[in-house]
Amino acid sequence: MITPESRYPTSYPIQVFLSLKAKEEQLARKNAASPTLKTLLLLINQLLTHFLLLSLQQNFLNISPSFIKLIHFFISDHRLLFLLGNMETKWLLLLTMAILSLLVFVHGDEEMSSVKPIVKIVKGKKLCDKGWECKGFSEYCCNQTVSDYFQTYQFENLFSKRNTPVAHAVGFWDYHSFITAAALHQPKGFGTTGGKLMGQKEVAAFLGHVGSKTSCGYGVATGGPLAWGLCYNKEMSPSQTYCDESFKFTYPCTPGVSYHGRGALPLYWNYNYGETGEALKVDLLNHPEYLEDNATLAFQTAIWRWMTPVKKHQPSAHDVFVGKWKPTKNDTVAKRVPGFGTTMNVLYGDQVCGNGDDHESMNNIMSHYLYYLDLMGVGREEAGPNEVLGCGQQKVFNPSSSSSSSSSS
């Protein structure tokens, strides 16, 4: 996979495509090519068109430079074209098959392997650096990164209605913003803990929360109620400014500023804006509006919340989902177990959990997660049994009187 700092100009694939078209027209005018050679050129032209359109759709992130260079060599070498034009049909057919197989292999291999990591061994432990997406030597960067298994078309499938005219954040959310935000947390294990399946499940779980909390879907909405995630990037009609004066010495409210819900996992209250801004080195306490102006930051704050415990000596949503958290005897008595259900306990407390199995908000979050698992090709059967999937019977980590959940309202 090519990083945003591409190794060739973004106009290069287009130049090669146009060169190929010109070569076809030249051969047609001169009638210099055998029918088989013309077929070869046509097939390669179709392949290049496919990859060109794919690269344009995905901001040139997934087009193979080896593929482009091989095509460029083929169409620029006049002696090679002359030789091919005089080759016997049977040998030309064999060469056609070999070239097409090589092109598919080259592209497929680079797409699957992504960026080759820089590896070093520290105290017997393998650490890797994969550049922009998983930067800084980490054991997690030795695994597949998020873009290896979650790409633009999947993001579009999950949030297919976010840019419809009736949505409230048209043009704001996109794949590039998500993957850029995710890159900052992948060295810490976001989407890179365990194998590919665990990575896919974690991305689906995180986005399941996001989709539920930013949805404007309803029962008879076009495409179904679960297709409308990322419809919002802020609370539309806040009923208050969410200023808690008890934090005036640590996170004092800025005069005239409202701390209503903003972001992918909406932040509420001055203390949550202050704490998150400190962690990310962004002045969210004075400028909470940054979250409705910058989609990467809006995703980044959500992933930070996912990766960070609400309180010391408690697990993060990431920890309970990927199995890094080991329940104590008290957790077992409280029916808190590793899995998706406990992520809701960590993030929302008794707003969602401990209210029985028919709680609407809990079931909405669960439904988004299951829907995304299906769309990503993982399948909802991987979510586990209901006691792992839900939190209706769990005792919460932080009762509402002491909760500082990022989504508290």
Side-chain angles (χ1 to χ4, degrees):
M1 175 176 167
I2 312 305
T3 67
E5 297 79 22
S6 183
R7 284 175 284 174
Y8 53 85
T10 56
S11 61
Y12 187 47
I14 299 174
Q15 293 170 1
V16 175
F17 175 72
L18 294 176
S19 297
L20 183 58
K21 295 297 292 182
K23 183 63 63 178
E24 283 186 299
E25 293 171 1
Q26 178 185 352
L27 289 171
R29 285 195 302 269
K30 293 183 177 181
N31 198 25
S34 69
T36 311
L37 178 56
K38 289 179 180 178
T39 300
L40 172 59
L41 285 170
L42 178 62
L43 287 172
I44 294 177
N45 183 17
Q46 290 174 340
L47 265 178
L48 185 58
T49 302
H50 167 74
F51 287 117
L52 175 62
L53 292 174
L54 181 65
S55 67
L56 287 170
Q57 180 186 18
Q58 300 191 9
N59 297 320
F60 295 95
L61 289 180
N62 289 318
I63 192 166
S64 164
S66 300
F67 176 84
I68 292 295
K69 288 175 182 176
L70 192 55
I71 287 288
H72 189 261
F73 166 75
F74 177 81
I75 65 173
S76 61
D77 194 315
H78 296 273
R79 292 169 299 174
L80 179 59
L81 283 174
F82 178 79
L83 179 63
L84 291 173
N86 290 278
M87 187 178 291
E88 289 186 25
T89 300
K90 64 178 181 179
W91 295 114
L92 192 52
L93 284 171
L94 288 174
L95 182 61
T96 300
M97 294 173 65
I99 290 177
L100 293 177
S101 298
L102 177 61
L103 294 179
V104 172
F105 171 79
V106 167
H107 179 80
D109 181 64
E110 293 204 6
E111 187 172 61
M112 287 298 293
S113 64
S114 185
V115 175
K116 285 183 168 49
I118 301 171
V119 180
K120 69 178 181 180
I121 307 298
V122 178
K123 296 181 179 180
K125 181 179 289 188
K126 181 181 177 181
L127 305 178
C128 300
D129 184 310
K130 286 190 175 179
W132 73 273
E133 192 177 2
C134 206
K135 192 170 183 61
F137 286 94
S138 163
E139 61 181 302
Y140 300 110
C141 295
C142 299
N143 300 328
Q144 284 190 307
T145 52
V146 173
S147 67
D148 288 330
Y149 56 79
F150 184 69
Q151 299 174 352
T152 305
Y153 76 94
Q154 293 165 301
F155 183 90
E156 296 296 329
N157 286 342
L158 267 56
F159 305 108
S160 59
K161 300 297 182 182
R162 74 186 191 282
N163 288 327
T164 56
V166 296
H168 301 281
V170 175
F172 182 76
W173 305 103
D174 59 22
Y175 174 81
H176 184 266
S177 299
F178 168 70
I179 206 68
T180 302
L184 300 174
H185 298 274
Q186 291 186 59
K188 301 173 185 176
F190 177 72
T192 52
T193 299
K196 175 182 177 181
L197 178 60
M198 178 56 75
Q200 290 176 305
K201 289 171 63 177
E202 183 175 15
V203 169
F206 169 75
L207 292 177
H209 284 277
V210 170
S212 175
K213 292 297 179 180
T214 59
S215 176
C216 58
Y218 55 95
V220 295
T222 304
L226 303 178
W228 290 81
L230 297 181
C231 177
Y232 296 101
N233 63 354
K234 63 182 176 181
E235 185 180 3
M236 298 304 293
S237 301
S239 59
Q240 56 176 306
T241 60
Y242 298 94
C243 173
D244 187 338
E245 290 292 351
S246 65
F247 287 85
K248 62 183 178 182
F249 295 113
T250 50
Y251 302 118
C253 299
T254 301
V257 167
S258 174
Y259 298 99
H260 58 267
R262 300 178 179 90
L265 285 179
L267 279 178
Y268 290 87
W269 298 103
N270 51 309
Y271 50 83
N272 281 317
Y273 279 92
E275 179 192 25
T276 306
E278 277 185 355
L280 300 179
K281 297 179 172 53
V282 180
D283 187 10
L284 294 178
L285 190 62
N286 289 313
H287 297 283
E289 74 278 2
Y290 288 169
L291 292 187
E292 58 189 84
D293 296 333
N294 186 321
T296 299
L297 183 60
F299 274 126
Q300 188 181 349
T301 57
I303 300 174
W304 178 84
R305 180 73 283 165
W306 176 265
M307 299 293 293
T308 307
V310 173
K311 289 185 176 181
K312 289 182 179 180
H313 310 299
Q314 290 185 359
S316 66
H318 166 78
D319 292 336
V320 302
F321 188 82
V322 302
K324 290 181 67 177
W325 168 67
K326 303 301 179 186
T328 65
K329 290 182 178 179
N330 288 338
D331 291 316
T332 302
V333 170
K335 299 185 177 180
R336 296 188 292 255
V337 296
F340 184 77
T342 308
T343 68
M344 293 186 280
N345 195 327
V346 170
L347 295 174
Y348 317 119
D350 53 16
Q351 294 179 48
V352 172
C353 299
N355 301 305
D357 294 334
D358 295 326
H359 192 264
E360 182 179 359
S361 181
M362 179 189 74
N363 286 318
N364 185 268
I365 299 168
M366 290 165 51
S367 294
H368 277 82
Y369 173 47
L370 296 175
Y371 178 67
Y372 292 171
L373 283 175
D374 286 342
L375 287 182
M376 289 174 64
V378 176
R380 63 181 59 209
E381 62 274 8
E382 290 290 343
N386 192 63
E387 59 267 25
V388 173
L389 181 60
C391 63
Q393 304 302 319
Q394 293 185 12
K395 183 178 179 180
V396 299
F397 286 105
N398 301 303
S400 56
S401 60
S402 62
S403 173
S404 59
S405 168
S406 65
S407 297
S408 295
S409 58

